[in-house]
Amino acid sequence: MNIHEYQAKQLLAQYGVAVPAGAACKTVAEAKDAAEKIFAAGHKLAVVKSQIHAGGRGKGTFKHGFQGGVKLAKTAADCVTSAENMLGKTLVTKQTGAEGRVVGTILVAAAEDIKKEFYLAVLLDRAVSKPLIMASTEGGVDIEEVAEKHPEKIVKEHIDPLIGFKDFNGWKIASALGLSGDLAKQAVKLVGAVYKTWWECDAAMVEINPLCICVGPDGKEKLIAVDAKIGLDDNALYRHPDIQAMRDLAEEAPLEIEASKYALNYIKLDGSIACLVNGAGLAMATMDIVQHFGAMPANFLDVGGGASKEQVTAAFKIILSDPNVKGILVNIFGGIMDCNVIATGIVAAVKETGLKLPLVVRLEGNNVVAGKKTLAESGVAIINGDTMSDAAQKIVKAVGK
Amino acid sequence: MSILVKPNTKVLVQGITGSFGARHAQLSIDYGTQIVAGVTPGKGGQFFEHGGKKVPIFDTVAEAMKQTGATASAVFVPPPFAADAILEGADAGLDLVVAITEGIPVRDMIRVKRAMQGNTKTRLIGPNCPGIVTPGEGKDSHGGCRIGIAPGYIHKKGNIGVVSRSGTLTYEAVWQLTSRGVGQSTCVGIGGDPVNGTSHLDVIKLFNDDPETTGIIMIGEIGGSAEEEAAEWIKANCKKPVAGFIAGSTAPPGRRMGHAGAIVSGGKGTAAAKIAAFKDAGIGIAVTPSEMADTLLKMM
C-alpha cells in the first residue's frame, strides 16, 4: 500500500524527522487558513502540493489547463488561487496516464530556503535479506539515473536487523555525504529516525528526495525532509490500524477494489484478452503466452488455490466491466481442486453474465475428464484449449476474427 | 535418489489442527508420506486421525522430534505466528523446515533469516511456497514424500529436478514431464516472497550434486536477482542440462503480480534481464510456458 506525501511526513515527524511546517487541506478555506499561519510565522514563501500517489506532479498539467501540480506562493492569496485550481481537479503527470488523478487533498507548507539537496532511502536489499540505507549527494533528481550513470555517488549501508540502527551507521553515511560538525550530528539523528520509521511501520520503502540543508529565518542550517514517500508491506498492515486508515481508495482502480472484496488478485492492464488463472506464477505466464501469440493481456487475475463458484462468477463480472476486453482465456491447473467444480462455476458464470465474447477454457489436473464433459454438455459456447499454447492461440485467433 | 527428502523421511506438521494444515496433512498421509506428528501449542496429548492413522499432537517441536524421530516439518501456522514456528523448528534442530504460510510480514522474515544465518543444521524452504515433493514408486507416484500443498498424483519417480518460485507453474512443468513419461527426482517450490530461506541457486547446487538427477528445470519470475545469481553459477559449475522459464515479461513495472516478491522496481528484476542471464549461462529458454519440459528434453 502507498500513502500520500503528507501522510508519510506525518509518520516521519512522529519519529523525530524534521519536515516543513504545513497542513493537509481538503477545502480552499482550510488552505487559506494554513497559508496565513505559514506567512504569520515569518516564512517568505509557501508551496502548495497536490496529493496524488503518482510522481511528476511539479511538471504535470491539470485537465482544465492549470500548469503544475506543485506551486510556489508568495502570499496567502496565491495559495488560495492554487488551491482553487487543484482541489477537485484532475492532474495529469507522466506517471498517471492520460486519465489523470483527481486531487482530493493538497499540502500547504512552508517553502524552505534550500542550500543543498541529498537523497535518502531505506529499503530491503533482497540479495542479502537485510535492511539497506541508501544515500546520495545527488538529491532532488531521478535516483535511478544516478545509480546508472554515477554508481559511486550512492552510499550504501546495511543494518543488522537483530541489532538495529547504531550511531556509527549514521556517522558513516554523514561522512560519505561530506557533512561535518552540527549538520553531521543532525544527519546521524535523522537517518536513525528514518530507519526507525521504516522498521516500526513495516514499510517496504521510505524515500526522502530531496533531503535538504535549509537555512532558517535565524540563519541556522537545518536538515529537513522536503519531500517524502512511503510504501508499506501489505502483509504487515494488520499490525498497524492507524496506517491502514491512511488508505485512499480514490487512488486505486475501482475494479481492483471490487476484486479484493472476493479475495481475487486482479490488476488491470491495457490489452484485449482477459485472463482468469489460478496461481500467481501461472497467471503471469498466461499473460506472457498471450503476448507471445500476438495479442495483449487485459489483466492479471489470480483466483487463488481454491476458487469457488462465487469467486469465478465475481471474476467474470470484473473482467467484463473492462470495455477493452474482446475475449476471455481461462487457464486452470486444478492440482488439488476439482476441475469439475471449476467447470460448473464457469458454466454458471457464463449463464449469469450472459457472456457474448469468445471464451477459451483450458482445464488440467484433478478430475479433468468430468470437468471437460461438464463444459462440453453445458450448451454454452466454450472453446476447449488442450495446452496453454493451444488455448492462447485459439483465443488470439477468435478475437482477431 | 533425491534431494532434501526421501520417501522414508519422517515429517511433522506445525499447525496440523488448523483447517489448511489438516487438509494437507490428510492428503500427505493419503500419498503415503510418513506424517509422524503434529504440533499445536496447547493441544499436546491429542491425536490427529485420518485414514486409520492416529498421529500424535505435541505442544512443542522438540518434544515431537524426541518422541517420533521427525526430521522435517511443514509449517501451516497463520502469518502472525509463522515466524515463531519457523524459529522453533530451527531451535529444535530439524533438518528441514518448509514454510507454506503466505502473508508473513517481511520484517519477521528478515529477522528469521538473520537468526538462522550460520545455522548449518536447519534448512528453511519458503515461506509462501507449495513445498517439496520426492515422488514415490507406487501408482501415481504414491509412497513419496510430500511436504506442502502440491498435488502428489501429477508426479512420477525419475531423474529430473524441478525448482520454481511459483506453485501452479511448478505443477505445470511437472505435469508436462509426467505426461511425456519423464519422472522427477525432487520438485522444490522455493516460494514467492522477497525474503526466503532457500534460493534457486541453493537448490541447483543440490541437484548438481545428486547422482540421480540428470536434468533440471528452473522456473523464475520477475523481481530480485536470484535467477541471475543461479545462472552465473550454472555457467561456471553446473554439469547438467538446465532449461528455464521466466514468468512476467508482460508485467507492468511497479506492480506486485500476486506474489509479494514479484515486482519490477527501479528498473530491476525484469524478465528481459533474467532471460538474458539464462541465455548467457547456456540455459535452454522455454519461449512459452507450454514448452518447459520439451526444451529440457531436447537438450538431453
Side-chain angles (χ1 to χ4, degrees):
Chain A
M1 184 182 95
N2 290 320
I3 55 176
H4 288 297
E5 173 196 0
Y6 78 91
Q7 295 165 325
K9 284 178 171 173
Q10 279 169 8
L11 287 176
L12 286 162
Q14 281 171 25
Y15 287 92
V17 177
V19 299
C25 309
K26 289 188 187 300
T27 65
V28 175
E30 283 173 15
K32 182 167 181 274
D33 225 39
E36 280 167 355
K37 275 186 193 147
I38 287 163
F39 288 108
H43 292 282
K44 298 275 181 290
L45 208 55
V47 62
V48 183
K49 305 175 89 174
S50 302
Q51 300 294 290
I52 57 170
H53 287 179
R57 293 172 296 170
K59 289 183 180 140
T61 306
F62 285 87
K63 279 193 171 166
H64 66 290
F66 189 72
Q67 289 292 321
V70 176
K71 297 291 265 190
L72 285 170
K74 285 182 183 156
T75 64
D78 284 353
C79 287
V80 168
T81 305
S82 290
E84 285 167 347
N85 277 294
M86 291 179 185
L87 283 168
K89 305 291 193 296
T90 305
L91 176 60
V92 179
T93 79
K94 61 178 181 182
Q95 286 185 15
T96 60
E99 71 273 24
R101 300 270 173 86
V102 176
V103 177
T105 305
I106 52 173
L107 174 61
V108 180
E112 305 288 342
D113 179 8
I114 295 169
K115 201 177 152 196
K116 180 155 179 49
E117 297 182 321
F118 300 102
Y119 174 91
L120 177 67
V122 185
L123 64 160
L124 164 71
D125 183 352
R126 289 175 63 161
V128 293
S129 301
K130 278 185 183 157
L132 173 68
I133 301 178
M134 265 173 58
S136 175
T137 51
E138 307 301 296
V141 295
D142 182 359
I143 197 67
E144 285 163 28
E145 219 177 289
V146 179
E148 200 174 305
K149 290 184 183 151
H150 299 285
E152 76 285 354
K153 288 189 174 166
I154 293 180
V155 187
K156 292 183 175 181
E157 179 75 359
H158 286 104
I159 303 299
D160 186 324
L162 296 186
I163 295 170
F165 178 89
K166 292 284 144 195
D167 279 357
F168 82 86
N169 300 121
W171 282 105
K172 280 168 78 180
I173 291 166
S175 144
L177 292 179
L179 296 171
S180 59
D182 182 57
L183 277 173
K185 280 184 194 163
Q186 284 188 45
V188 173
K189 263 184 85 173
L190 182 136
V191 175
V194 172
Y195 178 79
K196 203 171 174 196
T197 310
W198 184 84
W199 181 262
E200 292 192 359
C201 295
D202 278 294
M205 189 184 68
V206 176
E207 186 180 59
I208 298 175
N209 190 23
L211 169 68
C212 299
I213 301 178
C214 301
V215 185
D218 54 1
K220 279 182 86 174
E221 291 183 335
K222 202 173 171 200
L223 275 177
I224 298 179
V226 169
D227 198 356
K229 207 156 102 183
I230 293 182
L232 287 314
D233 174 7
D234 292 347
N235 287 346
L237 283 173
Y238 73 90
R239 310 201 255 236
H240 305 283
D242 53 329
I243 297 175
Q244 254 183 72
M246 293 178 173
R247 182 172 175 192
D248 183 355
L249 291 176
E251 288 287 335
E252 298 173 28
L255 287 181
E256 292 175 16
I257 298 168
E258 183 64 18
S260 67
K261 289 180 193 159
Y262 297 91
L264 298 167
N265 209 329
Y266 170 89
I267 296 172
K268 193 186 168 314
L269 302 170
D270 299 329
S272 60
I273 311 278
C275 305
L276 190 160
V277 190
N278 66 327
L282 196 62
M284 273 188 272
T286 305
M287 286 161 44
D288 296 346
I289 201 168
V290 165
Q291 187 193 38
H292 179 79
F293 288 112
M296 287 303 282
N299 63 274
F300 168 93
L301 175 54
D302 171 13
V303 295
S308 65
K309 192 184 130 194
E310 288 70 30
Q311 277 183 308
V312 174
T313 308
F316 267 83
K317 285 182 181 163
I318 287 161
I319 283 172
L320 290 173
S321 34
D322 174 357
N324 296 332
V325 169
K326 297 201 165 54
I328 300 176
L329 171 57
V330 175
N331 182 17
I332 301 285
F333 196 104
I336 302 297
M337 66 180 173
D338 189 328
C339 284
N340 198 28
V341 172
I342 292 291
T344 311
I346 293 169
V347 171
V350 169
K351 286 182 177 163
E352 196 179 325
T353 55
L355 181 73
K356 298 278 183 294
L357 301 173
L359 168 65
V360 174
V361 177
R362 182 265 181 153
L363 278 182
E364 191 57 88
N366 191 13
N367 206 14
V368 65
V369 176
K372 286 191 174 179
K373 193 160 170 255
T374 299
L375 293 180
E377 292 171 357
S378 66
V380 172
I382 294 173
I383 306 166
N384 175 57
D386 283 324
T387 63
M388 279 179 79
S389 175
D390 180 48
Q393 291 178 65
K394 279 177 174 163
I395 190 66
V396 171
K397 198 174 157 214
V399 165
K401 270 182 206 162
Chain B
M1 267 292 282
S2 57
I3 63 166
L4 298 164
V5 291
K6 296 182 181 131
N8 62 358
T9 299
K10 290 183 175 173
V11 180
L12 63 85
V13 177
Q14 291 174 263
I16 199 167
T17 51
S19 61
F20 191 38
R23 166 95 172 111
H24 286 284
Q26 288 170 356
L27 289 166
S28 284
I29 290 169
D30 292 343
Y31 188 59
T33 302
Q34 301 300 309
I35 301 290
V36 297
V39 175
T40 300
K43 296 200 174 167
Q46 300 181 15
F47 288 88
F48 177 81
E49 297 188 42
H50 177 68
K53 259 192 99 167
K54 268 182 98 175
V55 179
I57 299 173
F58 300 89
D59 284 330
T60 68
V61 172
E63 187 62 18
M65 286 173 70
K66 199 172 141 199
Q67 299 294 332
T68 66
T71 57
S73 92
V75 176
F76 286 96
V77 173
F81 317 105
D84 187 21
I86 295 167
L87 288 172
E88 186 189 355
D91 175 74
L94 284 165
D95 292 337
L96 185 68
V97 174
V98 183
I100 307 304
T101 310
E102 176 176 5
I104 304 178
V106 168
R107 189 176 82 188
D108 295 5
M109 281 313 302
I110 291 174
R111 286 164 62 94
V112 166
K113 180 97 179 170
R114 176 68 181 85
M116 289 181 72
Q117 198 179 322
N119 179 338
T120 52
K121 171 79 176 150
T122 307
R123 170 181 293 283
L124 169 66
I125 292 181
N128 188 15
C129 77
I132 175 168
V133 174
T134 289
E137 297 191 17
K139 182 176 182 292
D140 294 336
S141 76
H142 187 271
C145 181
R146 168 188 184 270
I147 303 181
I149 57 175
Y153 71 91
I154 63 170
H155 296 81
K156 174 183 161 71
K157 188 177 163 54
N159 303 101
I160 304 302
V162 179
V163 55
S164 165
R165 282 204 239 174
S166 137
T168 37
L169 213 42
T170 311
Y171 314 155
E172 182 73 38
V174 168
W175 185 241
Q176 286 175 18
L177 288 166
T178 299
S179 310
R180 286 157 180 74
V182 179
Q184 306 88 39
S185 51
T186 302
C187 304
V188 187
I190 58 172
D193 275 5
V195 177
N196 58 14
T198 294
S199 67
H200 278 103
L201 176 54
D202 296 330
V203 179
I204 295 283
K205 284 179 178 170
L206 294 170
F207 280 138
N208 194 45
D209 290 341
D210 173 32
E212 301 288 324
T213 299
T214 54
I216 302 165
I217 292 181
M218 171 163 63
I219 304 164
E221 62 192 37
I222 52 166
S225 57
E227 290 85 353
E228 287 92 325
E229 280 159 32
E232 202 178 316
W233 187 89
I234 287 167
K235 188 180 179 183
N237 303 290
C238 194
K239 304 174 293 213
K240 300 173 183 180
V242 183
F245 175 74
I246 299 288
S249 293
T250 42
R255 296 300 308 263
R256 257 167 235 287
M257 307 307 284
H259 290 154
I263 181 167
V264 173
S265 59
K268 294 273 165 59
T270 63
K274 289 171 192 289
I275 292 168
F278 274 19
K279 279 188 180 153
D280 181 56
I283 297 169
I285 307 282
V287 182
T288 75
S290 270
E291 295 156 63
M292 293 187 285
D294 288 338
T295 304
L296 178 67
L297 297 178
K298 266 182 218 153
M299 296 170 74
M300 295 182 68

